Amino acid sequence: MLDTLREQAVRNLTSVRNQKPLVHSITNFVVMNFTANTLLAMGASPVMAHAEEEVEEMVSLAGALVLNIGTLSGPWIASMLKAGRKAAELRKPIILDPVGAGATELRTRTALDLMQAAKPSVIRGNASEILALARTGSKTKGVDSLHTVEDLGDRVEEMALDQRAVFAVTGPRDLVTDGARTVMVGNGHPLMSTITGTGCAATVTIGAFLAVDPDPWSAAATALAFFGLAGEIGASTSHGPGSFMTALIDALYNLSPEALAAGCRFMQP
């Protein structure tokens, strides 16, 4: 299984660069520029369209839809629901990023509503956000995790089976499961937690891989390996958070499929 994932990582990155899929993101103000540049650097094409009047038309053109609840407002929630329902109708892959779920009732309820309405292919969050979606009473510190992947136990696999979705739980090591298949991804670097938006950037990276890989499980796992490895490469030449952000974008641009095959670290849980 691990060798197959390594081969799929190469295929997915190559396909993204050849096909340049359009990734439609309804995302938050904090990360729009960074996540758009993430997609451009890796070879995909971003569009950040959130007006309710155009989201259905835009999502019909896209290869994947990203829904990110980082800076919520009533109109944006309506746009996300409308785009999500349209994408589901068109069988477009959807990835949900439940930023800060568990911090407030609005965030938690909105994430659950989107899960119900859009049936996302992948849900990517930190351990606290994912636990909040299980309605365990889990809390987050703003948008930061107070839990680890290990705190989830078997619960996340049960959630994946119940939702018929892939859960990608990110942290020092990432866990990706569809309930039947589970893999850990060991790529990444501590500097990734020192700048805002790396989780959101990981989400759009999964979105790009979803647009070219019909298996959401392998799309999520290989995307996280690619993004984490780029973080390692960027950290090796940077001197702190500021230079790291630039180096990360450069690494996403320069990382070859061959280097990805050599550097990705998939592990059995």
Side-chain angles (χ1 to χ4, degrees):
M1 180 179 75
L2 302 185
D3 287 340
T4 301
L5 274 176
R6 189 172 292 106
E7 294 166 2
Q8 189 63 40
V10 170
R11 285 193 291 269
N12 285 345
L13 179 57
T14 301
S15 295
V16 166
R17 289 180 174 163
N18 288 338
Q19 297 178 30
K20 300 189 182 303
L22 181 66
V23 180
H24 178 192
S25 297
I26 305 178
T27 189
N28 69 75
F29 291 117
V30 179
V31 303
M32 279 189 188
N33 179 268
F34 182 42
T35 55
N37 283 332
T38 293
L39 288 166
L40 286 169
M42 67 183 290
S45 179
V47 61
M48 274 62 182
H50 57 265
E52 189 174 356
E53 294 82 0
E54 70 168 349
V55 291
E56 288 185 319
E57 185 177 1
M58 189 63 75
V59 81
S60 70
L61 303 174
L65 172 66
V66 175
L67 301 175
N68 177 309
I69 68 169
T71 50
L72 284 177
S73 67
W76 279 39
I77 293 171
S79 292
M80 288 182 186
L81 288 167
K82 193 170 186 178
R85 291 189 181 105
K86 186 64 175 180
E89 175 190 326
L90 297 173
R91 299 186 180 277
K92 305 272 187 176
I94 303 166
I95 178 166
L96 171 65
D97 191 332
V99 179
T104 68
E105 180 59 25
L106 174 65
R107 290 173 182 268
T108 307
R109 186 178 68 250
T110 298
L112 293 170
D113 288 346
L114 288 168
M115 288 167 62
Q116 177 65 30
K119 305 295 183 187
S121 306
V122 178
I123 300 162
R124 201 278 331 153
N126 63 43
S128 292
E129 290 163 347
I130 299 303
L131 281 170
L133 300 183
R135 284 299 199 181
T136 61
S138 170
K139 289 291 185 182
T140 65
K141 186 179 68 176
V143 298
D144 296 326
S145 184
L146 296 176
H147 301 86
T148 66
V149 168
E150 289 72 24
D151 292 331
L152 293 168
D154 297 332
R155 189 173 299 149
V156 68
E157 294 178 353
E158 296 168 1
M159 292 172 67
L161 290 171
D162 181 62
Q163 293 294 323
R164 298 183 181 179
V166 169
F167 279 76
V169 190
T170 51
R173 290 197 305 167
D174 305 327
L175 181 149
V176 181
T177 185
D178 63 2
R181 299 171 293 175
T182 301
V183 68
M184 304 293 294
V185 182
N187 294 102
H189 191 277
L191 271 175
M192 298 176 84
S193 65
T194 67
I195 59 173
T196 190
T198 49
C200 302
T203 296
V204 298
T205 303
I206 295 173
F209 277 40
L210 272 175
V212 301
D213 185 348
D215 183 351
W217 179 77
S218 62
T222 57
L224 289 175
F226 167 66
F227 188 74
L229 182 56
E232 295 172 24
I233 295 168
S236 70
T237 62
S238 62
H239 305 287
S243 58
F244 173 65
M245 179 177 285
T246 301
L248 173 59
I249 294 293
D250 287 346
L252 290 166
Y253 179 80
N254 289 309
L255 182 53
S256 68
E258 295 75 20
L260 176 58
C264 60
R265 292 195 300 279
F266 299 112
M267 300 166 287
Q268 297 286 357

